[in-house]
Amino acid sequence: MDALHIANSLTRQKERFEPLNPPFVGMYVCGPTVYSNVHLGNVRTFLTFDIVYRYLQHLGFKVRYVRNITDVGHLTGDTDDGEDKIGKKARLENLEPMEVVQQYTNDFHDVMNVFNILRPSIEPTATGHIVEQIEAIRQIVNNGYAYEVNGSVYFSVRTFSEDHPYGELSGRKIDELLNSTRELDGQSEKRDPLDFALWKAADASHLMQWPSPWGMGFPGWHLECSVMSTKYLGETFDIHGGGMDLKFPHHECEIAQNVACNGESQPVKYWMHGNMLTVNGRKMAKSEGNGFTPEELITGNHKLLEQGYSPMTVRFFMLMGHYASTLDFSNEALQAAEKGLAKLEKAVETLATLEPSTGETAYDVQAFAAKCSAAMNDDFNTPILIATLFDGVKAVNGAAAGRVSLSAEDIASLQGTFQAFLRDVLGLASEVSQTQSEGAGEEAGALLDLLVDMRTDAKTNKDWGMADKIRDVLAAQGITIQDGKDGSSWSRG
RNA sequence: GGUCCGAUGGCCGAGUGGCUAGGCUCAGCUCUGCAAAAGCUGCUACAGCGGUUCGAAUCCGCUUCGGACCUCCA
């Protein structure tokens, strides 16, 4: 495809991407709830939108990327007793709520850094926007779509649906929803089981609460995203993303709140939903107890892991599947990714040292770059992009072996394409250069060059014992020697 | 129970009507002092049954299996 197309969850169609106000793009992604460590499933969602962010920038768009931090907890799952998640955690650990928030926010940021996931332009917090949320509730009440009961305010889905469509995004119908609604405790306040809370009254035991026109309380689950996206991106904006599991009710309610608040018929032009990471076919989730923390993954310290995997291996593994498909997590798949990425990185190193050549078997570097763009233009199809990059690997290795001829311009073009798509768009940083830059990289490199020279001399003298000794000692240090046609070289890993 | 989605070779995973996905694994070969790396070749799959079509992994129906969501369980 020669222009970016996005699979829009709202219309269920692949649509050409045309921003509302080019070259500017507004993108909002539902961020983490910071009441515990993020697991790998969370990471996948943020990685998905990291790719979107990176590619939009690659295309030259000026992107304002907003990703919130949910630091007002929601109701606890275990008990349904109305206790704030973050409040509960705080009591358990005997910490101030904001201390818990800070701890897990820091953890979240660390994890994002490890996986080379870029920071958003704005990272607003729910607690930092209580005033705006109260104002939005007043607006919705004034517009007649919400009512107050005992200090809580509920959104009236029925009333809203008489004036506006409800359920478009998730494909749900009001009557069907009614039939399948479960009876939950403490919901008798609501006039209708379909209604959801905009503001919840809090009793004295609730640790996080704020004054409002309806008394002390805290905002409802869905409200913060509506309010913060509107504040920073406007009443209508381009892209809204999040995990598939947020589609209903969270995103549906968000739309309803936005429409009820400011009357725009459709706040978001393109809705995108990332699919789940599964373990043995089941969604990775905190409640399932099948989640990996990034630390467990990197160290391999987990009963389901055979070894540790580097962050870039994990990133590469996730990008080998399309974001809209479920991706199953397994040791075999991770190991395959590890080797595949190593092959790719090796070719990039080879490319850096390639000498120009002339010959008949040329490689079409323009077509290669075009294929990379086409893959990403087709709804961010990273698996196709990776497959295409391996096509480039073949050309590079072929040139190194003297079978494919590449001019100086070809080599420069290939380097540019790898830089753009492997590094900038896929965000796969070179882990080798990271470790080398940490210590005395240059000195070590000089020593290694010397050892390789010594081994070459030994080989010339047919002193195989010495040659193998050097190779084995270096191998024990994680340095691999490669013998090629034009001599030997070394690499880490 | 309702709504929606999926089922691809040894493994992971693209692909929506005819054209090689790709990675990993395994086997053989080339290169090499040996090995590694690299290259070449092979293992050529689309859950089952029916239908539409000149032609289906790709469209339609049914069956089986699996998954997600169903209003505060992200």
Side-chain angles (χ1 to χ4, degrees), chain A residues 266-432:
Chain A
Q266 204 52 259
V268 177
K269 194 167 179 189
Y270 305 93
W271 279 92
M272 294 180 67
H273 289 94
N275 216 322
M276 300 293 106
L277 185 66
T278 60
V279 179
N280 295 325
R282 293 196 172 268
K283 172 184 170 182
M284 185 181 282
K286 289 190 182 87
S287 54
E288 294 272 339
N290 62 356
F292 295 93
T293 66
E295 191 189 335
E296 286 167 339
L297 189 72
I298 292 163
T299 60
N301 185 22
H302 190 284
K303 62 180 189 299
L304 290 177
L305 294 173
E306 289 172 6
Q307 60 172 89
Y309 300 96
S310 77
M312 286 307 115
T313 295
V314 176
R315 188 171 171 118
F316 185 69
F317 157 71
M318 289 186 177
L319 294 174
M320 290 211 305
H322 191 254
Y323 75 88
S325 301
T326 55
L327 178 66
D328 200 57
F329 184 95
S330 70
N331 281 290
E332 274 186 311
L334 262 298
Q335 283 162 6
E338 187 173 58
K339 292 186 177 167
L341 179 60
K343 185 176 177 178
L344 204 45
E345 288 291 355
K346 191 152 286 177
V348 172
E349 281 179 44
T350 304
L351 178 60
T353 60
L354 220 49
E355 294 294 330
S357 61
T358 54
E360 290 181 8
T361 47
Y363 181 72
D364 191 341
V365 295
Q366 302 304 325
F368 171 64
K371 267 185 90 175
C372 290
S373 291
M376 288 304 288
N377 282 338
D378 187 10
D379 194 30
F380 310 96
N381 199 326
T382 54
I384 296 287
L385 172 57
I386 289 170
T388 305
L389 289 176
F390 275 105
D391 192 51
V393 168
K394 229 170 197 180
V396 169
N397 289 333
R403 274 189 308 278
V404 177
S405 74
L406 293 172
S407 68
E409 293 77 40
D410 289 341
I411 292 171
S413 170
L414 278 174
Q415 285 177 327
T417 304
F418 272 101
Q419 175 65 38
F421 285 94
L422 184 69
R423 304 289 185 226
D424 299 344
V425 172
L426 293 181
L428 291 162
S430 166
E431 290 176 306
V432 172

Side-chain angles (χ1 to χ4, degrees), chain A residues 204-274:
Chain A
S205 68
H206 206 92
L207 293 177
M208 288 181 121
Q209 51 179 290
W210 293 264
S212 79
W214 313 280
M216 294 301 287
F218 57 95
W221 178 34
H222 314 297
L223 193 58
E224 58 176 287
C225 290
S226 285
V227 164
M228 296 190 286
S229 63
T230 302
K231 175 164 182 175
Y232 298 111
L233 300 174
E235 293 181 354
T236 59
F237 58 96
D238 297 297
I239 299 173
H240 189 127
M244 203 78 101
D245 50 353
L246 296 180
K247 203 171 185 180
F248 189 87
H250 182 59
H251 290 156
E252 202 67 76
C253 294
E254 247 189 273
I255 293 174
Q257 288 167 160
N258 280 11
V259 174
C261 199
N262 56 46
E264 290 283 348
S265 63
Q266 204 52 259
V268 177
K269 194 167 179 189
Y270 305 93
W271 279 92
M272 294 180 67
H273 289 94

Side-chain angles (χ1 to χ4, degrees), chain A residues 435-448 490 492:
Chain A
T435 48
Q436 278 181 342
S437 63
E438 274 173 14
E442 285 184 26
E443 286 176 31
L447 285 171
L448 286 165
W490 61 270
R492 287 179 200 270

Side-chain angles (χ1 to χ4, degrees), chain A residues 26-101:
Chain A
M27 174 162 90
Y28 187 93
V29 172
C30 294
T33 301
V34 283
Y35 68 94
S36 66
N37 292 303
V38 293
H39 61 70
L40 224 53
N42 304 116
V43 170
R44 187 186 183 201
T45 299
F46 301 125
L47 172 61
T48 293
F49 294 101
D50 186 51
I51 297 297
V52 172
Y53 182 40
R54 286 168 179 272
Y55 190 60
L56 288 171
Q57 291 188 121
H58 169 83
L59 292 177
F61 291 113
K62 307 220 176 309
V63 187
R64 179 179 290 169
Y65 174 19
V66 181
R67 188 184 64 206
N68 67 298
I69 295 278
T70 297
D71 55 356
V72 178
H74 304 308
L75 302 184
T76 54
D78 303 336
T79 54
D80 259 2
D81 60 2
E83 188 174 22
D84 184 301
K85 255 179 194 165
I86 289 170
K88 182 178 184 183
K89 188 86 181 179
R91 195 165 313 134
L92 288 173
E93 299 186 357
N94 208 15
L95 297 168
E96 274 296 317
M98 286 314 283
E99 198 175 352
V100 175
V101 163

Side-chain angles (χ1 to χ4, degrees), chain A residues 143-172:
Chain A
N143 291 347
Y145 297 120
Y147 56 92
E148 190 239 320
V149 181
N150 299 331
S152 293
V153 182
Y154 295 97
F155 188 97
S156 175
V157 172
R158 284 237 173 247
T159 311
F160 175 79
S161 68
E162 285 164 12
D163 301 335
H164 306 278
Y166 177 83
E168 270 189 315
L169 179 67
S170 55
R172 281 161 215 266

